[in-house]
Amino acid sequence: MSIKNKIYLTIIILFTGIFAFGQSTRNKETEITSFLDSLNQDDFSGTVLVAHNNKIIEKRAYGQASIEFNVKNNIDTKFNIASITKLFTAVATLQLYEKGKIKLNIPIGEYLPDYPNKVVRDSVTVHQLLTHTSGLNNFYVADFDKIKNSDYKNISDFVPLFVNDTLLSKPGTKYDYSATGFVILGLIIEKVSEKSYYDYLRDNIFKPAEMVNTTELEIDSIVHNKASGYTSMFGENKTLKKNEYYLTKASPGGFYYSTVSDLFNFSKSLRNYRLLEKETTELMFEPKVKGYNTHMGYGIGVDQRYNQIILGHSGGWYGIHCELMDFIEDQYTIVILSNMDDGGNNGASKLSDFFMELIADKKQEK
C-alpha cells in the first residue's frame, strides 16, 4: 500500500471512530431525554441535572416541594443533601492539608489536645477519619435516641452525643461508615483555620465554586424555595410523614441544603482543580479502602464495579435521597435530589440505576 493510501486509510479510521463516538453520545442523550420525559410525580419527587463535558444538557423538576400546600418543585428548589455534605468536609480538610496546617497520619490530639476521649485523641488519624477507618460509629444512627433536633448551633454541640461511645474496631483496621468521624474533622477545621466550620465552607468552597444556594439551616428556618422532606420509612408506611423530627442543623457529617446547579458547580470546580491543587485532587480520588459497596478515596466514593469509574457521594435519610455521580471516562455528571426516601420501585434509585446502566453500561466482576 502506498504512503498516500495509508494516510487516506488512517483518516477514514479516525473519522469513523469520531463519528461512532458522536453517534453513541447522541443515542445516549436521546435515551436520557426519553427517560426523563416518561417520569411523573408518582415515579419521583425532586430535581435532576445531566451534564456532558461540563455542559448542562438536561435539568428537570418533578413532584412537590410542599404536598400540604400544593407547591411544585422547580429546578432551583433547595433540598437537604444529607451525606453529600461529607464531600465539603473532605475538601476543606485537604485544603488545610495543602497549606501545611493538617497532617494526615498523626493522631488528632495534635489539633484537639483537649478532646475528651483519650483513646480517640491518641490513636485516630485524619487519614482514618477521611476513609471511615477510625473505628468511630455513625452517631446519627447509633445515638439517634439521644438527638434533640433543635439543640445544635455549633459543631461542638454535637460532641456530647458520641464522645463516650466505644470504638467499633481498632483504628485503621476496618471500614465503618462514620458521621462521627466527619464531625471531628469539622472540629479540626475550626481549630486550625480559626473560623467556624460554616464560615470556612462559605468562604473557601461555596464562594469560589459559585454555590450561591448552598447553606446550613436551622430546623425551624422559613426559607424561600426549600423542599420539605417526606418519609414513608423507606416504603414501610403507606402514609407519608414530614421528616423534620429526624433532622438536625447541618454538621460536617450531613444535612446541608443545596440545588442541582450548585452541586454541579461543585463537581466541576473540584474536577478542574479550582478547589484543590491537581496533586491533592488526585490524592482525594485515589481509592484507599473498600467500603460496604464501593471503594473510598478521601471522603468520596470511587465506584469500580462498572466498566468505568464513577466518582461521587450519595445522601440518604428519612425523606431524603440524593446522588452526585461523575462518570470519569464518558465525562457525564448526574445530580439527583429528592425530598422522599425510596419506596417500592420508585424514587431516586430508579433514576440512578438508569444512569449507571446507560452510561457505565455493565457491571464488572470484582
Side-chain angles (χ1 to χ4, degrees):
M1 182 183 294
S2 69
I3 290 177
K4 182 184 288 188
N5 287 339
K6 286 182 180 179
I7 292 171
Y8 287 152
L9 181 60
T10 300
I11 292 171
I12 290 169
I13 291 171
L14 177 62
F15 276 94
T16 300
I18 292 171
F19 176 80
F21 176 78
Q23 190 72 19
S24 174
T25 299
R26 284 192 292 274
N27 289 343
K28 284 180 181 176
E29 293 181 5
T30 298
E31 286 193 52
I32 289 169
T33 298
S34 178
F35 174 75
L36 295 178
D37 285 344
S38 73
L39 293 176
N40 59 53
Q41 65 179 13
D42 292 328
D43 296 317
F44 174 67
S45 178
T47 51
V48 57
L49 178 150
V50 182
H52 187 225
N53 293 326
N54 290 326
K55 180 181 178 181
I56 296 171
I57 59 175
E58 288 282 2
K59 194 158 57 167
R60 304 283 192 100
Y62 304 86
Q64 294 177 303
S66 173
I67 294 174
E68 55 269 43
F69 294 108
N70 196 30
V71 178
K72 292 182 178 181
N73 285 316
N74 64 64
I75 56 174
D76 295 316
T77 298
K78 302 175 187 71
F79 290 83
N80 195 305
I81 61 171
S83 287
I84 291 178
T85 300
K86 292 182 175 70
L87 285 171
F88 308 154
T89 305
V91 169
T93 303
L94 291 170
Q95 286 177 339
L96 295 164
Y97 159 77
E98 281 186 340
K99 295 177 180 179
K101 294 185 175 183
I102 288 177
K103 296 179 181 178
L104 299 176
N105 293 303
I106 61 174
I108 64 166
E110 175 79 11
Y111 312 106
L112 303 174
D114 299 323
Y115 187 76
N117 189 313
K118 186 178 187 303
V119 173
V120 173
R121 185 177 70 233
D122 293 346
S123 60
V124 170
T125 67
V126 171
H127 166 87
Q128 292 162 357
L129 297 175
L130 285 168
T131 56
H132 300 279
T133 57
S134 64
L136 292 159
N137 66 14
N138 184 358
F139 76 94
Y140 282 119
V141 176
D143 300 301
F144 180 78
D145 59 336
K146 295 190 287 185
I147 294 175
K148 298 177 181 178
N149 64 351
S150 61
D151 281 6
Y152 313 101
K153 307 297 182 184
N154 304 304
I155 302 305
S156 57
D157 294 336
F158 290 94
V159 174
L161 289 169
F162 56 73
V163 68
N164 294 317
D165 289 351
T166 302
L167 289 177
L168 300 174
S169 58
K170 181 180 177 181
T173 63
K174 186 173 178 288
Y175 176 93
D176 282 296
Y177 188 79
S178 176
T180 301
F182 274 70
V183 171
I184 294 174
L185 286 172
L187 296 174
I188 295 171
I189 290 165
E190 291 189 328
K191 185 66 178 288
V192 303
S193 72
E194 299 181 336
K195 287 186 174 184
S196 80
Y197 171 82
Y198 304 111
D199 288 343
Y200 183 91
L201 262 57
R202 193 172 294 112
D203 293 342
N204 294 277
I205 297 178
F206 304 152
K207 286 182 180 178
E210 300 181 1
M211 300 168 66
V212 296
N213 289 306
T214 302
T215 188
E216 78 283 0
L217 294 174
E218 305 288 346
I219 295 301
D220 55 357
S221 293
I222 298 173
V223 178
H224 175 69
N225 204 15
K226 182 193 80 165
S228 295
Y230 298 93
T231 179
S232 65
M233 306 303 284
F234 303 97
E236 291 185 7
N237 294 345
K238 292 182 179 179
T239 303
L240 293 173
K241 295 183 179 181
K242 293 187 75 172
N243 71 342
E244 280 95 339
Y245 174 77
Y246 305 103
L247 300 178
T248 68
K249 180 182 178 179
S251 80
F255 297 145
Y256 260 80
Y257 281 82
S258 192
T259 65
V260 286
S261 294
D262 272 19
L263 289 177
F264 170 61
N265 287 346
F266 171 78
S267 165
K268 188 166 55 174
S269 297
L270 181 59
R271 288 181 287 104
N272 289 287
Y273 315 124
R274 293 200 289 267
L275 296 176
L276 296 169
E277 299 292 337
K278 183 175 187 292
E279 183 179 356
T280 311
T281 305
E282 290 174 351
L283 178 66
M284 180 180 180
F285 293 171
E286 178 186 290
K288 308 289 190 302
V289 63
K290 180 67 167 64
Y292 301 135
N293 296 304
T294 71
H295 285 79
M296 291 294 300
Y298 277 146
I300 191 167
V302 187
D303 195 338
Q304 301 179 95
R305 296 174 297 172
Y306 293 79
N307 72 347
Q308 62 181 290
I309 290 173
I310 308 171
L311 291 174
H313 212 293
S314 62
W317 194 241
Y318 301 98
I320 305 167
H321 188 165
C322 308
E323 300 281 352
L324 172 58
M325 299 184 288
D326 280 305
F327 295 80
I328 298 306
E329 183 177 324
D330 287 350
Q331 298 183 48
Y332 279 93
T333 299
I334 309 297
V335 186
I336 303 165
L337 303 181
S338 179
N339 57 332
M340 292 188 185
D341 46 46
D342 283 0
N345 296 318
N346 297 330
S349 289
K350 179 176 182 177
L351 278 71
S352 60
D353 288 347
F354 166 79
F355 286 113
M356 286 189 288
E357 291 171 10
L358 176 68
I359 301 170
D361 188 33
K362 62 182 179 180
K363 292 186 177 180
Q364 289 185 330
E365 295 297 325
K366 283 193 178 291

